[in-house]
Amino acid sequence: MSSFSFSFSGDDIEDDNAADSTPANVLPPRHVASTGSLRRVSNSAFPVTGQPLLPPQKHDIEVLMKNLPSKIAFSTLVIRLDDGQEISLPRRELWDVRVQLMAEEDDESLGNLGKDDVKTGVYEGGFKSWESSVDVVKELSKRKEEIGSASTTFLELGCGTALPSLAVFQLALQNSSAQHGILNLGLADYNPTVLQLVTLPNLLLSWAQVTSDTWEKEGELEIGPEVVGQFFVSLQSHSVSLSFFSGAWSPEFVALVSQSSSPDSTRLCIVGAETIYSPAALSSFGETLMSLLDGGSYATKSALIAAKKVYFGVGGSMDDFCDLVRAKGGAVEQIREESDGVRRAVVEVRTGI
């Protein structure tokens, strides 16, 4: 197992002072619910050195919802798009995640993992929001009419805080199902704990922001039975379904996701950001991506993948990823490049061309 930080300026779009420090005098709150079947004890969701990686799992949204605390603290990330407009994406505060972990007897010190970019085989960076995910949001904003024009399966691999998925989710909630078709939104992260602690809460926050007349950019969202019920009603009325997957990228992961796909979708869109940071991650991600794109009977299939051009000292690179795609018979085109800070790019991947 290896632990490392990329040590690049601009890696993480979090404000370090705000995101990595728990407010003084904050004690584990009573409103934190028991994690039930997801409780992190001896049968941890995180693998131990020398043992196999986490097997793929699909998680029931109702079980995830029951294990949420009664309140989540949040702040809002405002992204300026290329056309000058802005999109606001609320996210759960990292210090609030740590408070919950404290209250749940964080036996494995998961509260400290957010300070590491990656711990291979243990923690894959899901508590952070990465700049490459913002790049994907900007590209998706240019395609919102295309994405919403047909029934779509949208899958985010390595979702973490899920900024691209939040942007697509907001779009679906702002329009009627007749305007955007059915949206099957799939969210996958190596760590089920990330899905529980940040991915689902962020979806709830995005829903609350869209449906509220008095939304503030920061504060607390109370999650009671009435709010949960309204959330599920809203999903149904807007023809949105949510699926959550965890575990290592592998043929078994592909099979699980494929079995869960909706026969009603005519379009498949996959996104991934900062998923090729090492040779091992690049290989498993690339194999998984191409297998997913090669499968299914969708009329159109594509992927938007964002990453740094080179991960110095770690081994991953965008060029190596593009070579893998072409070796698998896919077509890849760079559609965006960023030069502020560390150079980054977004590429579009297609198959069957």
Side-chain angles (χ1 to χ4, degrees):
M1 179 185 71
S2 62
S3 172
F4 56 85
S5 172
F6 296 136
S7 300
F8 297 148
S9 62
D11 275 350
D12 181 9
I13 61 177
E14 303 280 3
D15 178 346
D16 289 341
N17 292 330
D20 290 338
S21 59
T22 303
N25 301 321
V26 173
L27 296 176
R30 294 183 180 180
H31 66 252
V32 174
S34 167
T35 56
S37 61
L38 294 181
R39 185 171 177 81
R40 290 165 291 279
V41 288
S42 58
N43 58 343
S44 168
F46 293 85
V48 178
T49 303
Q51 293 187 2
L53 295 174
L54 290 179
Q57 298 181 68
K58 183 176 181 181
H59 301 275
D60 189 306
I61 185 173
E62 293 190 359
V63 173
L64 294 175
M65 194 72 74
K66 288 178 181 177
N67 291 319
L68 288 176
S70 62
K71 292 181 182 178
I72 49 178
F74 67 90
S75 60
T76 301
L77 174 67
V78 178
I79 299 173
R80 181 173 291 276
L81 305 175
D82 293 341
D83 61 4
Q85 298 187 51
E86 294 181 342
I87 181 171
S88 298
L89 301 176
R91 302 168 300 166
R92 187 180 186 186
E93 293 276 23
L94 185 53
W95 64 259
D96 193 44
V97 173
R98 289 189 175 130
V99 168
Q100 182 173 348
L101 289 170
M102 288 166 55
E104 294 174 356
E105 299 179 0
D106 182 20
D107 298 329
E108 296 166 294
S109 299
L110 302 188
N112 293 323
L113 290 180
K115 298 179 181 178
D116 294 312
D117 287 341
V118 171
K119 278 194 172 181
T120 304
V122 176
Y123 165 70
E124 301 298 330
F127 289 141
K128 292 176 177 282
S129 292
W130 300 90
E131 282 190 337
S132 288
S133 63
V134 173
D135 298 338
V136 176
V137 170
K138 292 179 178 179
E139 286 303 315
L140 287 171
S141 70
K142 301 175 183 178
R143 305 176 178 215
K144 56 185 179 182
E145 292 185 5
E146 173 188 339
I147 293 174
S149 63
S151 294
T152 301
T153 290
F154 184 93
L155 175 64
E156 184 171 358
L157 298 175
C159 61
T161 59
L163 301 186
S165 294
L166 298 182
V168 172
F169 186 48
Q170 284 189 1
L171 176 65
L173 294 176
Q174 289 165 350
N175 299 315
S176 68
S177 58
Q179 290 174 300
H180 67 70
I182 297 170
L183 174 63
N184 300 294
L185 185 56
L187 301 112
D189 196 274
Y190 180 78
N191 302 107
T193 303
V194 167
L195 297 174
Q196 176 72 66
L197 296 182
V198 295
T199 308
L200 178 57
N202 287 355
L203 287 165
L204 265 171
L205 289 166
S206 278
W207 164 79
Q209 176 184 258
V210 170
T211 57
S212 173
D213 296 327
T214 58
W215 185 258
E216 301 290 340
K217 288 189 175 181
E218 59 182 29
E220 288 187 333
L221 175 67
E222 295 192 12
I223 307 174
E226 183 177 354
V227 169
V228 171
Q230 292 172 348
F231 178 75
F232 282 121
V233 169
S234 188
L235 291 181
Q236 185 174 15
S237 65
H238 289 87
S239 297
V240 176
S241 66
L242 301 176
S243 300
F244 297 86
F245 306 94
S246 68
W249 295 318
S250 62
E252 292 77 18
F253 176 88
V254 172
L256 178 63
V257 172
S258 299
Q259 291 167 6
S260 304
S261 63
S262 170
D264 299 322
S265 295
T266 59
R267 183 190 306 274
L268 172 65
C269 179
I270 301 175
V271 299
E274 306 284 3
T275 51
I276 60 170
Y277 48 81
S278 70
L282 189 155
S283 177
S284 59
F285 174 79
E287 295 279 351
T288 296
L289 174 67
M290 298 307 292
S291 294
L292 288 168
L293 287 176
D294 284 333
S297 56
Y298 303 96
T300 59
K301 298 179 284 188
S302 64
L304 297 181
I305 308 303
K308 295 175 177 64
K309 296 283 282 187
V310 177
Y311 290 84
F312 296 103
V314 185
S317 75
M318 184 59 87
D319 285 345
D320 287 344
F321 172 72
C322 293
D323 289 343
L324 183 152
V325 169
R326 295 186 181 106
K328 293 288 183 181
V332 60
E333 176 187 3
Q334 180 172 305
I335 59 174
R336 186 182 192 92
E337 182 165 352
E338 297 285 350
S339 57
D340 60 308
V342 179
R343 291 178 62 200
R344 308 185 307 277
V346 181
V347 299
E348 182 170 18
V349 179
R350 294 184 180 273
T351 58
I353 298 178

